[in-house]
Amino acid sequence: MIRGIATGLDEGRTTHLMEELCREAAAFRFDVAPNPCVGAALFAGDREVARGFHRFWGGPHAEVEALAAAAGSDVAPELWDLLVVTLEPCSSRGKTGPCVDAILAAGIPRVVVGALDPNPRHRGAGLERLRAGGVEVVLLEGTAPIERVAPHFARWTSSDRLRRPRPWTIAKWAQTRSGQLTPPDDVGEGRWISTAASLEEVAVLRGRVDAIVSGVGTVLADDPRFTVRPPGAVDAAPLRVVLDSCLRTPPDAALFRGPAPGEGAGAVHLLSLAGVGAARALDLEAAGASVHGLQGTESGGHVSLSAVEAWLWDAGVRRVLVEAGPTLLRAWLDAGAVDQVRVFTGAVNGGRGLSMGEWLGSAILDGRQERECGEDAVLEGFPRPV
Ligand SMILES: NC(=O)c1ccc[n+]([C@@H]2O[C@H](COP(=O)([O-])OP(=O)(O)OC[C@H]3O[C@@H](n4cnc5c(N)ncnc54)[C@H](OP(=O)(O)O)[C@@H]3O)[C@@H](O)[C@H]2O)c1
């Protein structure tokens, strides 16, 4: 029996279960970040009825997933008597409703929790709300430490980050075997490095961010649209933001054409240096962009990345995807402001432009994972802050 709680589980089984839930939850780390990885299991007596995990940012939380999976089981809800969850259930509305409400509504009488929410604004609030609702709650501190299960969430909720908030920044690029972002002229019309499977993955990723950010170099070279195509969530198309210090984006750029049927496209924002080209700004606004003048870097040459981050945060952007060429990518990585990377290496030799190989060779990636996507190799990780 778990201390102070009558359940069909003994403490050893609960600790083992917590470990399993943590391990399984961590498999979703790159899709949920900056949210924490969380796993939950619902019991009826000593029978495990269902498990649930937080699988992607903006998606249902683990507790809600477990309750939904249990609803599809042959065990009647009146028999559900214990929820084991790796992290304190949330008590405030974010992208989804509070989990404590879902637990109370389901009438679960007992909840065992593996760790408190590290965010001082929420810490303990979920447990209090459950107790106030008549739920017996046990905190098994140390069984699911957030620093081990979801170190990225510890960073996201650090006092420094809470004091100076900026969006969770994911840098994604496709490179040739030599780490170059532009293929040789004779490959894929000089354009594609990664294969269709990777492009599908990117479509899903685009549908799970609030904004896509690129540099004017990419707009001039590729004339991209940055739309979301199925299987991405076309209804939740992110803002399209271009860092364009001197407003070199052409007013007839593809960005300003409407999305193709079945695609989603967010509003276009051009971030330039304050005070540049008033007449050009009017042309671009007539074409469909919103133009914003920001502070420059110390040298004054480009818009400042910290001003960009502040602008994004104020615009409500919490998760951002940087899909830029090597110039902007390196500037962002060198500033230590990238939280997560996803790198697709295609089966293409050679290439043009700056190689990302040097950066990749020296970066320390926490939670590093290497996998395959179609014929491409994919590397993901959370760059250790410099
Ligand atoms: N394989 C891939 O994943 C991928 C993705 C995107 C692009 N690309 C390729 O990359 C090439 C273009 O590379 P690129 O490096 O020119 O494009 P980029 O990195 O997208 O854009 C660079 C431009 O961003 C602007 N910028 C604004 N603020 C900046 C800041 N704080 N720091 C640095 N730059 C800032 C600068 O122009 P201003 O000073 O005028 O603002 C700079 O020239 C193309 O060949 C394209 O096909 C490949």
Side-chain angles (χ1 to χ4, degrees), residues 173-174 181-182 215-218 221-222 243 245 248 302-303 324-328 331:
W173 68 90
L181 273 66
T182 308
V216 66
T218 296
D222 295 349
L243 308 197
S245 312
R248 290 187 286 147
H302 304 300
V303 290
T327 309
L328 189 55

Side-chain angles (χ1 to χ4, degrees), residues 44-348:
D46 66 355
R47 175 174 168 196
E48 185 179 318
V49 181
R51 282 187 189 188
F53 297 93
H54 185 30
R55 291 169 188 272
F56 61 93
W57 186 76
H61 289 184
E63 302 89 322
V64 171
E65 284 269 288
L67 289 167
S73 77
D74 59 354
V75 182
E78 309 81 73
L79 301 176
W80 304 348
D81 62 359
L82 171 69
L83 182 76
V84 177
V85 57
T86 57
L87 183 68
E88 172 178 7
C90 65
S91 54
S92 59
R93 172 166 282 280
K95 287 247 169 199
T96 59
C99 289
V100 290
D101 289 357
I103 296 167
L104 292 170
I108 313 288
R110 302 178 183 91
V111 174
V112 173
V113 172
L116 283 174
D117 190 325
N119 186 336
R121 288 177 201 153
H122 304 297
R123 198 174 172 81
L127 303 195
E128 262 174 45
R129 286 264 322 270
L130 288 173
R131 286 188 179 118
V135 176
E136 196 180 342
V137 179
V138 169
L139 173 64
L140 285 185
E141 278 270 49
T143 52
I146 202 76
E147 301 74 19
R148 184 163 54 77
V149 186
H152 67 269
F153 188 61
R155 278 184 208 166
W156 177 244
T157 53
S158 69
S159 54
D160 187 47
R161 192 90 184 223
L162 293 174
R163 226 179 9 253
R164 278 177 295 181
R166 58 181 180 83
W168 186 260
T169 304
I170 305 168
K172 165 256 142 190
W173 68 90
Q175 61 177 27
T176 66
R177 288 187 173 120
S178 53
Q180 286 162 299
L181 273 66
T182 308
D185 282 329
D186 57 348
V187 172
E189 296 160 359
R191 198 166 169 144
W192 303 118
I193 293 174
S194 45
T195 52
S198 299
L199 295 175
E200 262 192 18
E201 238 193 50
V202 172
V204 172
L205 181 57
R206 283 184 180 177
R208 291 181 183 163
V209 294
D210 293 324
I212 298 170
V213 176
S214 192
V216 66
T218 296
V219 171
L220 295 174
D222 295 349
D223 201 15
R225 294 183 304 132
F226 295 123
T227 52
V228 181
R229 278 170 241 160
V234 294
D235 296 341
L239 302 182
R240 295 174 291 164
V241 179
V242 178
L243 308 197
D244 182 3
S245 312
C246 302
L247 295 178
R248 290 187 286 147
T249 298
D252 63 351
L255 278 174
F256 303 125
R257 280 176 233 140
E263 290 183 349
V268 178
H269 294 272
L270 303 181
L271 307 188
S272 69
L273 287 169
V276 301
R280 178 72 166 181
L282 285 178
D283 288 349
L284 288 162
E285 285 186 341
S290 299
V291 180
H292 311 268
L294 301 188
Q295 199 190 321
T297 49
E298 267 177 29
S299 65
H302 304 300
V303 290
S304 131
L305 293 184
S306 48
V308 168
E309 289 175 331
W311 183 89
L312 289 166
W313 186 270
D314 290 345
V317 172
R318 298 294 175 265
R319 192 177 204 242
V320 62
L321 181 62
V322 179
E323 287 197 61
T327 309
L328 189 55
L329 275 176
R330 278 304 297 255
W332 220 305
L333 289 162
D334 291 346
V338 171
D339 298 297
Q340 183 177 334
V341 295
R342 188 179 302 189
V343 184
F344 295 89
T345 304
V348 176

